Amino acid sequence: MHITDDGIKLNIKLDMPKDNPSKCPICVIIHGFTGHMEERHITAVQEAMNELGLATLRVDMYGHGSSEGEFKNHTLYKWLSNGMAVIDYVKTLDFVTDIYLCGHSQGGLTAMMLAGMEKEKIKALLPLSPALVILDGARKGDLLGQPFDPENIPDKLVSWDGRELNGNYIKAAQTLHVEDAVKKFDKPVLIVHGDKDEAVPVEYSIDIAKQYKNCRLELIPGDTHCYDNDLPKVIEVVKDFMQGMLN
Ligand code: FER
């Protein structure tokens, strides 16, 4: 299945809860940088939500997974535009009661921005290891482990997997202020972060959690960026938070 955002096809997948209710809430789930909707930690969240009676909508973002767009041309602006298109689409689904928003890493950062933009539409926000380090790194001149001059942005960076990333990614990231979106969103937030995250230092989540009005922060002891050590614990806290929302 796909939707389009300004002519770009985005691969989406809707999964319904087992008992196929006539109406139910939905959770939109966004993967991270270089990720896609079939990653183990993404499908684990999807399955947990479906078990709790929520539908899920997973989306491959611009330049990722089976969506159109080239990886090297993706920016957070494009991902935010994709996110708005997804929320617009979800609003057209007749069965949907409430909309929840979850994202991992760069998808978590995107979800945090979107929740501020679409605050009247989002019931609760679940950023998993949100990649706030991207905005900080873009300003300081350190992304993907590579130093650069933030006042003279390079034409391209080379990503972890050897693929190129256009310098426009950095220019866009330098303009974004997640704190503004954080201030706007006063509904429940669950931030989950492994305290041995090698890609996004856990301190970013500890700091931003304090800036939300209504935020539960769950640190997963010994866990990594993609929860290699304790994905079951991540799923347990997600379920516990969602059960509180559904009661
Ligand atoms: C970086 C650190 C983390 C970076 C991106 C990420 C582009 C995102 C990780 C993810 O989404 O999983 O320096 O640079």
Side-chain angles (χ1 to χ4, degrees):
M1 232 170 39
H2 74 266
I3 58 170
T4 61
D5 176 15
D6 244 350
I8 295 285
K9 275 189 195 167
L10 300 177
N11 179 40
I12 58 169
K13 187 155 188 211
L14 178 67
D15 290 287
M16 295 301 287
K18 300 260 172 338
D19 51 353
N20 225 16
S22 57
K23 286 200 170 277
C24 64
I26 193 166
C27 183
V28 171
I29 307 174
I30 307 174
H31 62 78
F33 181 84
T34 70
H36 56 83
M37 66 163 69
E38 303 296 348
E39 290 177 292
R40 164 182 163 272
H41 53 287
I42 298 295
T43 58
V45 171
Q46 168 244 311
E47 285 164 15
M49 293 287 178
N50 293 160
E51 271 173 42
L52 289 171
L54 288 96
T56 47
L57 190 82
R58 288 175 287 153
V59 54
D60 283 338
M61 303 296 270
Y62 183 104
H64 286 68
S66 302
S67 287
E68 291 185 347
E70 283 194 61
F71 172 79
K72 71 171 160 53
N73 292 331
H74 93 279
T75 65
L76 285 164
Y77 290 172
K78 285 179 178 156
W79 277 33
L80 291 172
S81 173
N82 294 167
M84 289 189 280
V86 169
I87 302 291
D88 286 347
Y89 170 72
V90 166
K91 288 303 269 182
T92 69
L93 300 173
D94 288 334
F95 71 84
V96 169
T97 55
D98 294 314
I99 304 173
Y100 293 85
L101 185 55
C102 177
H104 175 253
S105 197
Q106 180 165 295
L109 171 61
T110 302
M112 288 169 75
M113 297 290 302
L114 273 175
M117 297 158 77
E118 309 265 20
K119 62 183 158 62
E120 62 294 327
K121 296 186 188 134
I122 307 296
K123 178 100 171 175
L125 169 67
L126 297 85
L128 309 178
S129 312
L132 300 162
V133 68
I134 293 172
L135 305 187
D136 205 26
R139 291 186 177 96
K140 287 184 180 157
D142 185 5
L143 284 173
L144 301 165
Q146 300 158 52
F148 57 86
D149 178 357
E151 298 299 331
N152 291 287
I153 293 172
D155 291 338
K156 60 185 185 220
L157 289 177
V158 179
S159 181
W160 288 304
D161 54 7
R163 283 187 290 178
E164 283 183 2
L165 181 60
N166 194 294
N168 289 342
Y169 175 94
I170 305 172
K171 294 176 196 168
Q174 281 186 349
T175 70
L176 296 175
H177 294 274
V178 76
E179 297 77 13
D180 296 349
V182 168
K183 261 184 235 140
K184 276 181 190 249
F185 192 75
D186 57 9
K187 289 188 242 176
V189 180
L190 171 68
I191 298 182
V192 184
H193 209 128
D195 72 3
K196 294 282 184 294
D197 190 321
E198 70 290 2
V200 181
V202 69
E203 287 72 25
Y204 284 99
S205 282
I206 294 171
D207 178 57
I208 207 76
K210 293 178 199 148
Q211 299 182 44
Y212 274 113
K213 288 183 197 72
N214 186 359
C215 182
R216 170 172 164 190
L217 172 66
E218 289 283 350
L219 302 183
I220 310 298
D223 219 352
T224 60
H225 189 55
C226 293
Y227 319 115
D228 298 301
N229 299 327
D230 208 352
L231 184 58
K233 178 73 186 165
V234 174
I235 295 306
E236 189 185 305
V237 299
V238 165
K239 279 186 158 177
D240 184 69
F241 174 81
M242 289 306 299
Q243 266 153 355
M245 290 300 307
L246 299 170
N247 282 334

